[in-house]
Amino acid sequence: MNSDLEITPAEWQVMRVVWSLRQTTSSRIIEILQQKVEWKPATIKTLLRRLVDKEALSATRQGRGFIYEPLVPEQQTMDQAADNLFNNICERHVGSTLEHVINNATLSKDDIASLQKLLASKVADSPDNVKCNCIPHMQMKC
């Protein structure tokens, strides 16, 4: 996967549809997205073209239209986006940011059990305090 892949919020909407359907036409993507957002078909086609240019989607001509398929795995792409976010915030704020995400996310009981198990396994190796990583070699309070 392209580790430099940057997907805009609008492109995420398109990718979510294509990931869900695995293989689909622009007509179907337009139909679905117009139920969610007020975008014109030309806007959605532009987003599709950009995603093909970024090598996130493949486009295979079929008659007058195209069949679109994802070229990047959904979970890996989401993980990369999360890593990019957390690599750009102060390490002292990671815990509170994760807390915010968890508070605002809908999680299944299995998700919660998995997170509890993961957190329990991390306790033994975790520091008492996380240092600021904003300015190297300086102890700053963020």
Side-chain angles (χ1 to χ4, degrees):
M1 185 182 112
N2 178 358
S3 62
D4 296 327
L5 179 64
E6 290 188 26
I7 299 176
T8 67
E11 291 168 345
W12 275 104
Q13 293 293 319
V14 174
M15 289 302 298
R16 288 175 56 197
V17 171
V18 179
W19 279 320
S20 295
L21 298 175
R22 294 190 178 97
Q23 182 182 69
T24 189
T25 63
S26 57
S27 299
R28 183 73 175 122
I29 296 166
I30 291 166
E31 176 187 333
I32 292 168
L33 285 174
Q34 286 186 323
Q35 294 174 28
K36 295 176 66 177
V37 291
E38 294 183 16
W39 294 340
K40 294 183 188 307
T43 300
I44 297 169
K45 288 179 182 179
T46 297
L47 293 169
L48 286 165
R49 187 183 76 251
R50 287 182 189 166
L51 288 163
V52 169
D53 290 346
K54 291 179 179 186
E55 299 180 356
L57 293 178
S58 69
T60 306
R61 183 169 289 283
Q62 183 181 48
R64 292 178 37 193
F66 289 93
I67 300 291
Y68 293 93
E69 293 182 73
L71 293 175
V72 293
E74 183 176 15
Q75 188 62 55
Q76 190 175 347
T77 304
M78 290 186 298
D79 291 348
Q80 177 189 326
D83 289 346
N84 289 342
L85 169 66
F86 285 101
N87 287 336
N88 288 303
I89 64 174
C90 177
E91 286 185 4
R92 291 178 51 107
H93 299 287
V94 168
S96 59
T97 303
L98 286 171
E99 185 177 333
H100 171 81
V101 169
I102 290 168
N103 276 328
N104 290 287
T106 302
L107 300 170
S108 70
K109 290 180 181 185
D110 285 344
D111 291 336
I112 293 168
S114 178
L115 287 168
Q116 287 173 324
K117 184 177 177 182
L118 176 64
L119 289 170
S121 73
K122 289 189 71 78
V123 168
D125 296 326
S126 297
D128 290 331
N129 294 298
V130 176
K131 294 179 181 173
C132 171
N133 65 329
C134 298
I135 301 174
H137 311 296
M138 289 189 71
Q139 296 298 318
M140 298 196 61
K141 191 172 188 174
C142 298

